[in-house]
């Protein structure tokens, strides 16, 4: 398995996610990375036995994505098993996620329930894969990042 940086100049994270989720066979690890070169866009790092090509003008962004473990994990060990509701302990046991945090409150208790909403995108922080959650109705935690976020200022006229 080799870590490869790749860039197609995706402007939106969802576009990069779509490309990653369409890979067959699926890589063992795939992350999105916000890069600034040669322009602000989303580059991808992929750990796979396959290789991926990047156009010369986007190579600097691809190289930035491949420099180490940072970014937002889309596919990671155990990610396919993150559906429905799980306790934090179950989530940590079944996946490569190192820690679950509650936004503004620190590390989540092992017995806290996470409603995955079938969309989990942890981020690498200091070499650890961290899932940031927030409290939701019914006393559960939900991932901070949602599949369909409300665009900033969507309700402003």
């Amino acid at each position: 398995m080799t870590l490869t940086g790749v860039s197609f100049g995706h402007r939106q994270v969802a576009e990069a996610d779509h490309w990653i989720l369409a890979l067959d066979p699926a890589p063992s690890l795939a992350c999105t990375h916000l890069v600034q070169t040669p322009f602000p866009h989303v580059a991808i790092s992929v750990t796979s036995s396959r290789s991926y090509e990047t156009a010369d003008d986007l190579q600097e962004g691809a190289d930035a994505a491949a420099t180490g473990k940072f970014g937002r994990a889309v596919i990671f060990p155990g990610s396919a098993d993150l559906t429905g509701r799980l306790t934090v302990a179950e989530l940590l046991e079944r996946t490569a996620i190192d820690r679950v945090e509650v936004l503004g409150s620190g590390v989540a208790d092992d017995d806290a329930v996470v409603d995955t909403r079938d969309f989990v995108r942890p981020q690498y922080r200091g070499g650890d894969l961290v899932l940031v959650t927030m409290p939701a109705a019914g006393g559960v935690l939900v991932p901070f990042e949602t599949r369909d976020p409300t665009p900033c200022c969507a309700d402003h006229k």
Side-chain angles (χ1 to χ4, degrees), residues 20-35:
I20 289 169
L21 294 171
L23 294 174
D24 188 20
S28 61
L29 179 65
C31 299
T32 59
H33 308 268
L34 303 178
V35 298

Side-chain angles (χ1 to χ4, degrees), residues 5-95:
V6 62
S7 178
F8 300 107
H10 293 121
R11 297 292 188 154
Q12 302 292 323
V13 171
E15 294 171 336
D17 278 11
H18 181 74
W19 182 83
I20 289 169
L21 294 171
L23 294 174
D24 188 20
S28 61
L29 179 65
C31 299
T32 59
H33 308 268
L34 303 178
V35 298
Q36 298 301 310
T37 55
F39 56 86
H41 70 283
V42 183
I44 300 164
S45 64
V46 181
T47 301
S48 174
S49 56
R50 295 185 57 194
S51 61
Y52 304 94
E53 296 295 320
T54 293
D56 289 343
D57 61 330
L58 295 172
Q59 191 60 52
E60 193 175 353
D63 292 345
T67 60
K69 286 190 174 182
F70 70 97
R72 173 184 162 275
V74 177
I75 296 176
F76 51 93
S79 61
D81 297 327
L82 290 177
T83 59
R85 292 181 177 207
L86 302 165
T87 65
V88 169
E90 290 170 325
L91 188 145
L92 295 174
E93 181 181 309
R94 295 180 186 183
T95 72

